[in-house]
Amino acid sequence: MLRKGITESFGAAIHAFNSAQLTDGVISRSKRMMLDSLGVGLLGTRTDVFNKALTYSQLFTSVERSSVWGKSRITLPPHYAAFVNGIAVHSMDFDDTWHPATHPSGAVLPALLALAETLPRQPSGLDLLLAFNVGIEVQGRLLRFSREAYNIPERFHPPSVVGVMGSAAASAKLLGLSPAQCSHALAIAASSAGAPLANAATQTKPLHIGNAARRGLEAAQLAQMGLTGNPSILDLNRGFGVYYKDYSPSAMAVSASRHFKWILEEQDVAFKRIPAHLGMHWAVDAALAARAKLESTVRHFDVSQIRQVTLRVPPSKYVDCPLPATEHQARHSFQFNACSALLDNKVTVSSFSEAQINRPALKELLSNVKVETPNDNQPNFDKMYCEVEIETHQGQSVAARCDTFYGHWRKPLSQEDLVEKFSVNASSVLCTEGVEGVIDVIGNIEEVRECSVLGSYLSMTSSQHQQLYSTGTV
């Protein structure tokens, strides 16, 4: 019997996965990922970058139409619905983060929900859950083909590379493609992969997730139509290996049996409490702890008493932004997040508004920040730490260190806090019935007969609900 090539093994695995292989642990974790992604996506529909992308996407028409989350009267061609919903998920850098580093959910869920609306037979919730996990699993496998991928990225944004492959795999699964078509979907998607890290901290970064969702969906549909790519795309250094200097791929083996070891079972994701780059969570927690120490020793603490703030963080140029001028730069600035925490004793969604960024007191504090990168502080989300030291004009000095923030996979958010995060985010757009409906559907997704019911709740905006009541429709 001939041994399968790596790409061929992935195609066969994507085709072979079945819902009986979904374990309780994987189901639980992936439902949390779905709920969180929908929440940050709904909140993201209020951002400038989302609305620019939506205006652009409305230039296009097609026979098939899919919903835009939180927009009861707007539909788009499926690829553009996946595009704008993916942008919404990452528009505030509020979405989940995995290890090795990527944002796994935002590239997959928008593509699946857009695709599901166009299918002649509505997929069940279990179909959606399986396809979602296939997309997550493929990303996890690809990331483990390189040791370089375990570190905070330096050259490209990982979701733009593995995310488009995950979207293609998930879409191929939902479409029921053959093993060969699944392989070709990956090959086609690989030619839409990649985005330079230089566009981090700009309005273009959220497009990386939107493009991954859109292009992966397109790749699967093109493969379904018979378009082919290199059947060894994952085997070759000149194929998917172009993205990693130490590329070392291996086959994926999936049998029809119930037993399968999912990466998500071994490696949980991180859920963010603030809308910023993951590294900022260490800085915020350390700054809050340092402030608390100083307040306990100074009777009348005032931030003007601070002479210098020293941050000890891992080396990573794209999150070293001393004086951010925009919300996107602020979301990628150790200095801004630490100083916001010191000044306000909290960091929230509103911390990244233009008014908050331009406060004289904040700018004054930022001018007194020094950044150090100790040799033992590795640029790796599983190993890094952040230490904040505060020195006052009166000669006092306090320091605090964060090794694991609340929300990290080693210290996961409780289900209560995760649902609370979703509710706060979603209620900025949806009415109470919509918020509660999404929570209920995702909580029981494996029992839902048609996943279209989720879309109905995602369109229950506050304004729409009020209008229905005023006309006596409900």
Side-chain angles (χ1 to χ4, degrees):
M1 181 178 176
L2 292 175
R3 183 181 176 186
K4 283 189 176 78
I6 291 165
T7 312
E8 186 182 2
S9 77
F10 269 68
I14 293 167
H15 175 78
F17 276 116
N18 64 79
S19 58
Q21 294 166 318
L22 293 171
T23 64
D24 291 343
V26 163
I27 289 173
S28 175
R29 286 181 173 177
S30 55
K31 288 197 293 190
R32 283 162 59 88
M33 294 163 72
M34 287 181 172
L35 187 67
D36 187 67
S37 297
L38 293 172
V40 299
L42 286 163
L43 181 64
T45 63
R46 303 177 66 184
T47 61
D48 187 38
V49 61
F50 168 83
N51 283 294
K52 286 175 179 174
L54 179 61
T55 299
Y56 165 75
S57 298
Q58 287 177 292
L59 297 173
F60 302 93
T61 61
S62 70
V63 174
E64 294 180 330
R65 311 289 290 181
S66 297
S67 302
V68 178
W69 301 350
K71 303 290 181 181
S72 57
R73 293 189 177 90
I74 299 177
T75 59
L76 293 172
H79 310 102
Y80 286 97
F83 176 62
V84 299
N85 290 334
I87 288 171
V89 170
H90 196 57
S91 62
M92 300 171 74
D93 218 319
F94 212 177
D95 47 329
D96 57 22
T97 306
W98 214 10
H99 181 71
T102 196
H103 303 285
S105 300
V108 173
L109 190 58
L112 289 177
L113 292 182
L115 174 60
E117 291 188 66
T118 70
L119 297 178
R121 184 188 69 81
Q122 263 294 299
S124 68
L126 192 58
D127 294 332
L128 179 70
L129 190 65
L130 176 61
F132 178 82
N133 276 287
V134 168
I136 300 302
E137 181 70 19
V138 165
Q139 292 180 75
R141 295 272 174 159
L142 296 176
L143 286 166
R144 282 159 176 77
F145 290 173
S146 163
R147 294 305 307 173
E148 177 189 0
Y150 283 75
N151 294 328
I152 296 175
E154 295 180 351
R155 295 177 293 117
F156 59 82
H157 194 207
S160 70
V161 173
V162 297
V164 69
M165 307 296 280
S167 172
S171 299
K173 185 62 182 175
L174 200 62
L175 285 167
L177 300 192
S178 69
Q181 288 173 322
C182 291
S183 296
H184 287 302
L186 295 176
I188 297 164
S191 280
S192 292
L197 203 57
N199 267 327
T202 74
Q203 285 191 327
T204 296
K205 188 188 180 194
L207 270 63
H208 298 171
I209 300 288
N211 281 328
R214 171 191 171 190
R215 296 300 188 185
L217 172 55
E218 288 179 342
Q221 292 184 315
L222 287 168
Q224 184 182 40
M225 292 178 178
L227 191 75
T228 61
N230 191 316
S232 300
I233 197 72
L234 301 182
D235 304 64
L236 305 170
N237 283 332
R238 71 178 189 277
F240 196 74
V242 300
Y243 297 105
Y244 298 102
K245 300 171 186 174
D246 59 346
Y247 188 64
S248 180
S250 57
M252 184 193 292
V254 176
S255 69
S257 72
R258 292 176 61 92
H259 301 291
F260 179 75
K261 195 171 185 179
W262 300 87
I263 289 175
L264 185 58
E265 188 108 53
E266 300 177 348
Q267 177 63 65
D268 201 357
V269 300
F271 295 107
K272 299 179 178 181
R273 292 176 292 119
I274 58 172
H277 180 275
L278 193 72
M280 304 305 106
H281 291 66
W282 279 270
V284 168
D285 280 14
L288 291 173
R291 176 185 162 123
K293 281 186 178 181
L294 188 58
E295 285 182 315
S296 69
T297 60
V298 177
R299 181 171 297 179
H300 300 292
F301 168 74
D302 186 274
V303 73
S304 64
Q305 297 171 359
I306 297 176
R307 183 183 69 82
Q308 181 172 282
V309 178
T310 302
L311 306 181
R312 298 184 180 94
V313 296
S316 183
K317 292 181 180 179
Y318 89 103
V319 284
D320 180 4
C321 186
L323 295 169
T326 69
E327 62 167 300
H328 297 282
Q329 290 176 354
R331 297 184 200 282
H332 294 76
S333 168
F334 278 124
Q335 296 92 327
F336 175 86
N337 284 273
C339 287
S340 291
L342 291 173
L343 185 61
D344 302 324
N345 205 23
K346 62 182 178 180
V347 177
T348 67
V349 170
S350 62
S351 299
F352 301 90
S353 67
E354 184 177 353
Q356 295 293 93
I357 291 171
N358 290 321
R359 289 178 294 169
L362 180 60
K363 290 187 174 183
E364 174 66 22
L365 192 56
L366 283 167
S367 68
N368 297 319
V369 175
K370 179 175 71 170
V371 174
E372 297 178 353
T373 54
N375 291 333
D376 68 337
N377 202 349
Q378 300 179 47
N380 179 304
F381 291 142
D382 205 41
K383 299 176 180 178
M384 67 170 280
Y385 66 86
C386 178
E387 188 171 88
V388 175
E389 182 177 2
I390 306 171
E391 298 173 58
T392 71
H393 291 291
Q394 292 74 31
Q396 295 164 306
S397 176
V398 298
R401 170 169 162 157
C402 177
D403 294 295
T404 305
F405 65 87
Y406 179 46
H408 191 275
W409 44 84
R410 287 194 300 268
K411 196 175 181 180
L413 287 185
S414 69
Q415 185 64 16
E416 181 182 2
D417 285 346
L418 185 81
V419 172
E420 175 66 14
K421 176 189 172 183
F422 168 81
S423 299
V424 170
N425 289 336
S427 62
S428 67
V429 178
L430 302 184
C431 65
T432 301
E433 185 181 352
V435 173
E436 293 176 352
V438 173
I439 293 171
D440 182 61
V441 170
I442 294 298
N444 300 282
I445 191 70
E446 66 272 36
E447 307 294 337
V448 173
R449 290 186 178 180
E450 293 189 355
C451 64
S452 58
V453 67
L454 180 59
S456 66
Y457 286 118
L458 288 170
S459 66
M460 286 188 180
T461 59
S462 299
S463 57
Q464 180 209 26
H465 202 65
Q466 291 165 2
Q467 186 178 39
L468 290 174
Y469 268 105
S470 66
T471 59
T473 308
V474 296

mmCIF file of all heavy atoms in Angstrom, residues 1 190 195 232 255 362 379:
data_model
loop_
_atom_site.group_PDB
_atom_site.id
_atom_site.type_symbol
_atom_site.label_atom_id
_atom_site.label_comp_id
_atom_site.label_asym_id
_atom_site.label_seq_id
_atom_site.Cartn_x
_atom_site.Cartn_y
_atom_site.Cartn_z
ATOM 1 N N MET A 1 0.838 -1.194 0.000
ATOM 2 C CA MET A 1 0.000 0.000 0.000
ATOM 3 C C MET A 1 0.879 1.253 0.000
ATOM 4 O O MET A 1 1.816 1.378 0.777
ATOM 5 C CB MET A 1 -0.890 0.016 1.247
ATOM 6 C CG MET A 1 -1.809 1.207 1.338
ATOM 7 S SD MET A 1 -2.859 1.081 2.826
ATOM 8 C CE MET A 1 -3.721 2.637 2.711
ATOM 9 N N ALA A 190 -3.796 28.217 -0.125
ATOM 10 C CA ALA A 190 -2.401 28.566 0.162
ATOM 11 C C ALA A 190 -1.922 29.726 -0.699
ATOM 12 O O ALA A 190 -1.035 30.490 -0.291
ATOM 13 C CB ALA A 190 -1.499 27.349 -0.039
ATOM 14 N N ALA A 195 0.247 37.834 5.134
ATOM 15 C CA ALA A 195 0.111 39.278 5.287
ATOM 16 C C ALA A 195 1.264 39.769 6.157
ATOM 17 O O ALA A 195 1.535 39.192 7.209
ATOM 18 C CB ALA A 195 -1.224 39.637 5.932
ATOM 19 N N SER A 232 0.564 18.554 -3.625
ATOM 20 C CA SER A 232 1.583 18.382 -2.576
ATOM 21 C C SER A 232 1.889 19.706 -1.883
ATOM 22 O O SER A 232 2.994 19.909 -1.380
ATOM 23 C CB SER A 232 2.868 17.793 -3.174
ATOM 24 O OG SER A 232 2.642 16.540 -3.767
ATOM 25 N N SER A 255 -9.048 7.996 11.249
ATOM 26 C CA SER A 255 -9.824 6.833 10.839
ATOM 27 C C SER A 255 -11.299 7.117 11.075
ATOM 28 O O SER A 255 -11.673 8.139 11.626
ATOM 29 C CB SER A 255 -9.395 5.591 11.623
ATOM 30 O OG SER A 255 -9.780 5.719 12.970
ATOM 31 N N LEU A 362 -2.136 61.235 30.501
ATOM 32 C CA LEU A 362 -1.633 59.969 29.971
ATOM 33 C C LEU A 362 -0.350 60.194 29.185
ATOM 34 O O LEU A 362 0.625 59.439 29.324
ATOM 35 C CB LEU A 362 -2.693 59.316 29.088
ATOM 36 C CG LEU A 362 -2.316 57.973 28.458
ATOM 37 C CD1 LEU A 362 -2.000 56.931 29.531
ATOM 38 C CD2 LEU A 362 -3.440 57.467 27.550
ATOM 39 N N PRO A 379 9.813 35.862 23.963
ATOM 40 C CA PRO A 379 8.663 36.335 23.181
ATOM 41 C C PRO A 379 7.754 35.168 22.794
ATOM 42 O O PRO A 379 7.660 34.770 21.628
ATOM 43 C CB PRO A 379 9.318 36.984 21.958
ATOM 44 C CG PRO A 379 10.587 36.213 21.764
ATOM 45 C CD PRO A 379 11.058 35.851 23.160
#
